[in-house]
Amino acid sequence: MRVTVTADKAGTARGDIFVGPYSASRVTGQTGALINDNSGDPVWFRPLPSTTLQNTDVKVQTYHDARGGRAQPVLTWWQGSIALPPWYTNLPPGAPEPGGCYYIYDRHYRLLKTVFAHHGYYPDQHEFTLTRRGTALFIASKPVPMDLTPYGGRKNGSIENNEIQEVDLATGRLLFSWNALEHLDPADSEEPAPNSSSPGEVWDPFHLNSVDEGPDGRLLISARNMWAIYDVARRSGRIRYQIAGKKSDFTFGPHADFSWQHDARYRPGNRISLFDNGCCHLPDGAPAQVSHGLILSLDLPDRKATVDRAYYHQPPLESPTQGNTQVLGNGNAFIGWGQSPYYSEYAPEGNSQGSASRNLLYEAKLPGSDISYRAFRNRWIGTPYYPPSAAARAHGGGNVVYASWNGSTQTRAWRVLAGSDPHSLSVVVKHAPRSGFETAVTTKSPGPYFQVKALNARGRVLGTSRVVTLPGHGRGGRP
């Protein structure tokens, strides 16, 4: 899967880009977990064996070992089968039932932990956050039988319920849960209850899609189908205040309202960030507004929300599902456009709908109908536990040696060795600068045995490939 970079200006934050490419229709390339650099070249890719499997929320986090007192950077993601809402009616043929798990990988791309949900719920794709306590906070879901007649549905219906769960990573023990049905009223949903007789149809009134933990332990929970964000007291589970939705505790300044939102996060100074989908489950199918990243300032005493920053796309996008707004360390904002195939980075000041190209620093487009649930820019040092890869081919009057090392972020150049005997190789190219995921190095050496060594910025050897031969040559070096 290759992306097209359409803007790359000075001022972007440091780091690579993390996505989980997939498609609701036909995938261009492969699904999996992908790290790209600013040029659009892959840094690391973990392909999945089937297009009915997907990865979401691929990002860098810190794994705290509460018992050992150590912390290390890790890669995390969800893996399972995605279908766009409602999942119960459009799973692709052959796809597994909704479910999945969360993975934690170390910087050497080795699996550290696999995390599952409790209470009979399945881990869902929306959220997986590691805490400083050595725990994981995530959203889990399951269908629950329910009489839907009070909400305009059928008597023998089912509701898709959600739980916020926290588990101890060392033991897998459930430490905390917050059940949506116990705290939220389905009557406040913007998603109508189904009244058909289809036995497989499940009502999704809440659709929790993010949970963020504040410095004082409070939780910020986004419920997409309620058009609402809730500030929750962790100890009691009580909703301290509701932002938007049918029972909002806040009024809104110009352009501060939102709908079908994703990725609500606490920000310093009584602010929150979110991705406002503004789209598209209204009765006539028209969007309430174009999708955009949004940072709101909350006047808590007067209960009023106003726009602090906004990040619009040019041309305007209407993303019915998914998306995120990441505030970077230098103040820039990185926007994953969800069901639209873009990700973008903006200078801190943002823009407005009337000047959507202002302050755009970086943008790339996924191929075909590929999308990513979220997109992140993170700093990451990858040192693969496996060796580099090499291949050799005859070309013109010489040979070309191809060198790559999936996931290595420190390789800056390649050294090529060759010889007529696999056990007696000598250096034929001392230093060939890395030129992308795979570097082609031309040599006049006849080989037919070749080997590559990955070099860092100081010329130190980081890893050595196995010995490869030109096609058609055996161990003896002759056709």
Side-chain angles (χ1 to χ4, degrees):
M1 194 219 68
R2 298 301 300 270
V3 304
T4 301
V5 176
T6 58
D8 188 3
K9 303 177 182 178
T12 60
R14 296 178 65 183
D16 293 315
I17 296 160
F18 295 71
V19 292
Y22 79 101
S23 176
S25 53
R26 182 175 181 179
V27 176
T28 300
Q30 294 170 285
T31 61
L34 173 66
I35 307 175
N36 276 338
D37 61 20
N38 267 24
S39 71
D41 279 333
V43 174
W44 176 74
F45 185 47
R46 176 183 177 270
L48 291 171
S50 168
T51 57
T52 63
L53 282 175
Q54 292 88 27
N55 293 144
T56 67
D57 208 23
V58 182
K59 61 190 175 188
V60 176
Q61 300 196 68
T62 301
Y63 175 45
H64 294 268
D65 183 345
R67 294 181 176 179
R70 295 175 298 173
Q72 61 177 306
V74 292
L75 285 177
T76 65
W77 62 84
W78 173 89
Q79 184 165 307
S81 181
I82 298 176
L84 301 181
W87 61 259
Y88 41 85
T89 59
N90 69 344
L91 281 174
E97 290 299 310
C101 62
Y102 306 106
Y103 287 135
I104 303 175
Y105 272 59
D106 67 14
R107 61 182 290 184
H108 309 300
Y109 305 100
R110 297 178 301 197
L111 179 64
L112 284 178
K113 294 285 181 181
T114 304
V115 180
F116 298 95
H118 293 255
H119 292 165
Y121 284 72
Y122 59 85
D124 89 21
Q125 71 266 26
H126 293 105
E127 189 72 82
F128 183 68
T129 298
L130 304 185
T131 75
R132 298 182 64 86
R133 299 181 297 278
T135 68
L137 194 64
F138 56 86
I139 298 171
S141 305
K142 75 173 178 181
V144 177
M146 187 174 180
D147 179 3
L148 302 183
T149 54
Y151 313 105
R154 65 183 185 275
K155 183 174 180 59
N156 297 320
S158 294
I159 191 171
E160 177 81 343
N161 195 22
N162 307 126
E163 271 197 359
I164 307 297
Q165 297 188 0
E166 182 178 8
V167 302
D168 179 74
L169 291 173
T171 64
R173 184 167 58 94
L174 180 68
L175 303 176
F176 167 83
S177 63
W178 187 90
N179 190 289
L181 196 52
E182 294 175 1
H183 295 91
L184 305 180
D185 185 354
D188 295 336
S189 180
E190 298 288 346
E191 183 75 21
N195 54 19
S196 70
S197 58
S198 173
E201 200 163 9
V202 180
W203 185 31
D204 186 13
F206 310 127
H207 200 99
L208 303 192
N209 58 23
S210 70
V211 56
D212 191 37
E213 186 175 55
D216 56 359
R218 288 179 294 139
L219 300 178
L220 193 68
I221 299 171
S222 169
R224 162 192 160 84
N225 287 355
M226 306 288 274
W227 293 12
I229 295 170
Y230 304 91
D231 182 285
V232 173
R234 180 189 181 92
R235 185 177 297 274
S236 66
R238 178 179 62 88
I239 295 173
R240 298 174 69 248
Y241 55 78
Q242 174 178 329
I243 309 168
K246 293 180 179 177
K247 295 177 181 174
S248 179
D249 294 312
F250 282 74
T251 59
F252 294 85
H255 311 296
D257 57 321
F258 54 85
S259 57
W260 310 110
Q261 79 290 337
H262 283 74
D263 194 41
R265 307 287 164 189
Y266 288 114
R267 300 298 172 194
N270 289 329
R271 299 181 304 156
I272 64 169
S273 65
L274 63 130
F275 183 78
D276 179 11
N277 296 80
C279 187
C280 287
H281 284 351
L282 300 175
D284 60 0
Q289 54 190 332
V290 298
S291 304
H292 60 288
L294 184 60
I295 299 178
L296 294 178
S297 179
L298 303 180
D299 183 337
L300 297 177
D302 291 338
R303 291 291 198 262
K304 185 172 183 179
T306 55
V307 174
D308 179 71
R309 298 282 191 277
Y311 305 92
Y312 288 86
H313 190 272
Q314 182 61 41
L317 296 177
E318 297 168 1
S319 296
T321 66
Q322 309 165 86
N324 67 299
T325 297
Q326 179 192 16
V327 178
L328 301 172
N330 67 349
N332 289 358
F334 198 83
I335 310 297
W337 294 97
Q339 205 173 333
S340 298
Y342 297 91
Y343 49 80
S344 312
E345 184 173 343
Y346 296 88
E349 297 77 14
N351 56 35
S352 65
Q353 188 171 352
S355 59
S357 59
R358 182 163 53 91
N359 287 317
L360 175 68
L361 300 176
Y362 182 85
E363 181 165 275
K365 184 179 184 296
L366 302 172
S369 61
D370 287 4
I371 56 179
S372 181
Y373 165 61
R374 288 175 179 162
F376 297 95
R377 184 184 287 283
N378 294 140
R379 297 179 69 173
W380 173 250
I381 297 175
T383 57
Y385 74 88
Y386 42 84
S389 296
R393 297 288 184 272
H395 181 72
N399 295 305
V400 179
V401 178
Y402 300 89
S404 63
W405 200 2
N406 189 23
S408 173
T409 61
Q410 296 179 310
T411 299
R412 296 293 179 269
W414 294 98
R415 181 170 296 161
V416 179
L417 293 80
S420 58
D421 185 305
H423 305 292
S424 302
L425 304 179
S426 59
V427 175
V428 294
V429 178
K430 185 176 182 180
H431 187 278
R434 180 184 183 276
S435 60
F437 183 79
E438 184 176 66
T439 300
V441 185
T442 301
T443 174
K444 293 182 179 179
S445 171
Y449 295 95
F450 295 93
Q451 187 180 53
V452 300
K453 295 180 181 289
L455 309 178
N456 68 8
R458 296 183 178 182
R460 184 172 68 86
V461 174
L462 299 175
T464 302
S465 76
R466 66 180 180 87
V467 177
V468 298
T469 61
L470 290 169
H473 289 73
R475 299 292 292 178
R478 295 192 176 120

